[in-house]
Amino acid sequence: LFLKLGFEAAETFWMMVAVMEDLVPQCHDKSLFGVVRDAAAAEVLLQAFAPACARRLVRTGIDPMWISADFFLTLGVKTSSIAAAAHLWDLCFVHGPRALFCNLIARVEIGVASTSDDDVEGVVYAVRRAGW
């Protein structure tokens, strides 16, 4: 993303180091401890702030852990346009990791809430469409 925005390679390297250390600490180490920690926190937040979506994911056999893990490993930009990714990271620089968590919950809620309770295929499609 930083390269696409016109930053030099050395600047990009150090900005990514800062992003990884500040926004998703320990997510990219050998044990992936940070991914597991953040995914567990995201699951709790999803159950608290979007309980219907959380239940629908579980009912359709989609483990929220995998949605969260993919999201945090890619810093939320796997399926985003450059403009959307830049905006998300701007929010992260201002608000810290909570911006990532809020974005994740919003994406799940928008995608999954648009389906009916008995529409298993729709939930799976919504999750796939979001890039997970």
Side-chain angles (χ1 to χ4, degrees):
L1 175 65
F2 293 127
L3 290 172
K4 288 279 192 182
L5 293 173
F7 290 95
E8 296 295 323
E11 292 173 309
T12 296
F13 173 78
W14 290 112
M15 287 190 291
M16 284 305 301
V17 168
V19 165
M20 304 228 316
E21 288 176 353
D22 294 341
L23 296 179
V24 286
Q26 298 176 310
C27 277
H28 293 88
D29 65 7
K30 285 183 181 181
S31 70
L32 297 177
F33 171 77
V35 172
V36 174
R37 176 203 57 223
D38 290 351
E43 187 170 355
V44 169
L45 292 170
L46 187 62
Q47 290 170 358
F49 293 104
C53 292
R55 285 190 303 274
R56 198 167 300 152
L57 288 174
V58 170
R59 193 169 41 245
T60 57
I62 300 170
D63 188 345
M65 162 66 170
W66 298 115
I67 294 171
S68 300
D70 183 61
F71 183 83
F72 289 117
L73 284 171
T74 63
L75 296 167
V77 299
K78 179 178 176 181
T79 60
S80 300
S81 67
I82 290 177
H87 185 67
L88 171 60
W89 284 13
D90 281 346
L91 289 171
C92 290
F93 294 141
V94 173
H95 300 288
R98 66 182 156 198
L100 277 176
F101 284 94
C102 290
N103 189 269
L104 171 63
I105 291 172
R107 286 182 186 204
V108 171
E109 196 167 27
I110 289 168
V112 176
S114 65
T115 62
S116 64
D117 281 339
D118 59 347
D119 185 10
V120 174
E121 289 180 19
V123 173
V124 172
Y125 175 75
V127 169
R128 284 189 182 145
R129 185 182 63 222
W132 298 307

